[in-house]
Amino acid sequence: MASSGRIVLFMFLGSFMWFNAQNSFVSCALTSKLQRKIAKINKEGPYLGLIIPNSFELNPLLQNPGYTPSDNIIDFAGRRFRFGAIGHKPVILVMTGLSVINAAITTQLLLSFFTVDGVVHYGIAGNANPTLHIGDVAIPQYWAHLALWSWQRYGQGGDDTLPLENNGDYTRDVGYLKFADFTSNLSAGSTFDNQLNNLWYQPEEIFPVDGIPEQRQHALWVPVHSNYYRIAKKLEELKLEACIDTTTCLTSTPKVVLVERGASAGFYLDNAAYRTFIYNKFNVSPVDMESASVALICLQQRIPFIAIRALSDLAGGGTSESNEADTFSPLAATNSVAVVIQFVKLLSHHSK
């Protein structure tokens, strides 16, 4: 009886696991019903894809009178695709969630399933540029992912070949960060080294849709679409909000600024030393965790792209006690939405 009882139990558990696996598959599968709904929605395009990191950046757009929602919503693969219009331009809104991985997945889903003729990515960001201020909206011409590294072993230096460098996997062309340069509390004239050694920055491997499959190319500084950038220049006189309420205001009036470079990485940058390093080395202004992923996917899919990021804080702060991001993130999110609304209206006008 004990043996037969175990057999029955195993059969039940096996059936239960199979049932759950089937339901899990069905819940995320591209069913025929969903395919028909997507095909119908795509006939109303092409759309401009608006890719947004978080809900506190999405909600101000949903509440903005410049955005007109439709009744169409598609939930797929953990993402919600909202449809509507800004001015006369049909748009798709989708939230990525935090990080370079989520941003890349979401962007690829958007471009794979929907008829999209361009992408605008917006949100808030930290700031590495000391000439800019909290509340400013920065629009870079180039984006890079600065968290792909070759971390060099201790004892080697700039004249030593990196592992797999001769295969074309890694390069010393971009440059490196030497950890020993950031040692503190040294007496005058003394030198110091540590075993962390050098971190060499690397370009991403990319596989464009018009390239040869599995034949890699490389990209570091990904340009935004040249026409989008020209249109964005017309936003430099746009009036932005400076106050959260009647008592909490910025000391300077925010502005729209076109800058050379922005950077993304899979970490929240709140360190003044590293902020200063990447600004001096790469001329980076906004720093975030998503934009470069969106840029790299759009580059590979040959889709026009631009990113609009409002600055919520000086990365690393002016002092160890300051906490600007907690205070001014809502204001920065509101300003980023105001710029996006005007940009899409201008883009729609120029597309006629």
Side-chain angles (χ1 to χ4, degrees):
M1 289 295 294
S3 176
S4 62
R6 283 196 297 269
I7 293 173
V8 171
L9 175 62
F10 291 150
M11 291 177 64
F12 171 79
L13 289 175
S15 299
F16 179 79
M17 293 172 65
W18 179 88
F19 177 80
N20 278 325
Q22 293 302 307
N23 280 348
S24 175
F25 173 77
V26 170
S27 68
C28 67
L30 189 62
T31 64
S32 57
K33 180 179 179 180
L34 183 56
Q35 290 182 57
R36 289 193 298 271
K37 186 174 181 180
I38 291 174
K40 181 179 179 181
I41 285 175
N42 278 336
K43 291 179 180 179
E44 301 175 15
Y47 296 91
L48 183 68
L50 270 58
I51 298 177
I52 307 130
N54 290 301
S55 58
F56 66 84
E57 296 153 320
L58 169 63
N59 289 336
L61 178 59
L62 296 178
Q63 298 162 7
N64 191 291
Y67 169 69
T68 304
S70 77
D71 295 330
N72 291 322
I73 290 178
I74 288 183
D75 293 335
F76 179 70
R79 271 69 178 177
R80 170 159 289 183
F81 297 90
R82 294 174 167 89
F83 297 81
I86 296 176
H88 299 290
K89 181 61 181 178
V91 296
I92 305 176
L93 280 55
V94 60
M95 190 181 80
T96 67
L98 188 72
S99 86
V100 291
I101 293 176
N102 275 325
I105 291 171
T106 305
T107 305
Q108 188 61 65
L109 285 170
L110 172 73
L111 301 183
S112 295
F113 291 108
F114 301 103
T115 303
V116 174
D117 59 5
V119 165
V120 176
H121 177 56
Y122 81 87
I124 68 171
N127 174 32
N129 185 340
T131 68
L132 301 181
H133 301 92
I134 293 172
D136 288 349
V137 176
I139 306 178
Q141 189 173 10
Y142 299 92
W143 284 91
H145 178 217
L146 291 184
L148 182 61
W149 308 321
S150 176
W151 206 320
Q152 200 169 28
R153 70 175 60 182
Y154 180 68
Q156 294 188 340
D159 294 330
D160 294 299
T161 303
L162 300 175
L164 305 179
E165 181 179 347
N166 292 332
N167 293 337
D169 292 332
Y170 300 104
T171 178
R172 285 171 289 158
D173 291 343
V174 180
Y176 65 92
L177 178 151
K178 184 177 178 64
F179 283 92
D181 290 343
F182 296 88
T183 304
S184 61
N185 300 321
L186 290 178
S187 58
S190 64
T191 59
F192 184 80
D193 199 2
N194 65 50
Q195 296 184 19
L196 291 175
N197 203 24
N198 301 325
L199 180 157
W200 292 84
Y201 291 91
Q202 301 298 318
E204 289 280 354
E205 288 187 356
I206 63 169
F207 300 87
V209 292
D210 52 1
I212 299 174
E214 298 184 350
Q215 183 170 308
R216 67 183 175 182
Q217 301 177 26
H218 289 90
L220 181 63
W221 294 106
V222 179
V224 304
H225 192 264
S226 58
N227 187 46
Y228 285 14
Y229 199 66
R230 283 193 296 269
I231 292 172
K233 191 167 181 61
K234 298 181 179 181
L235 300 169
E236 290 179 315
E237 300 302 320
L238 186 65
K239 184 178 180 181
L240 300 175
E241 294 292 333
C243 295
I244 295 175
D245 51 39
T246 56
T247 60
T248 308
C249 294
L250 296 167
T251 56
S252 62
T253 303
K255 57 187 180 299
V256 179
V257 186
L258 272 66
V259 297
E260 183 183 12
R261 290 174 171 176
S264 304
F267 53 83
Y268 182 89
L269 175 54
D270 195 28
N271 182 275
Y274 189 70
R275 167 197 86 205
T276 302
F277 172 79
I278 61 173
Y279 174 71
N280 291 334
K281 185 171 184 62
F282 298 117
N283 195 29
V284 164
S285 293
V287 290
D288 65 31
M289 300 174 69
E290 295 87 20
S291 295
S293 290
V294 181
L296 283 159
I297 297 298
C298 288
L299 173 66
Q300 297 185 76
Q301 299 299 316
R302 302 305 190 202
I303 296 294
F305 156 84
I306 197 167
I308 296 169
R309 286 282 187 162
L311 307 178
S312 61
D313 65 292
L314 181 63
T319 67
S320 60
E321 292 82 18
S322 61
N323 196 3
E324 303 96 334
D326 283 353
T327 302
F328 292 107
S329 289
L331 176 64
T334 297
N335 282 345
S336 70
V337 168
V339 175
V340 167
I341 292 288
Q342 292 305 313
F343 174 81
V344 176
K345 288 180 178 179
L346 285 173
L347 179 62
S348 179
H349 176 74
H350 280 265
S351 300
K352 290 181 179 179

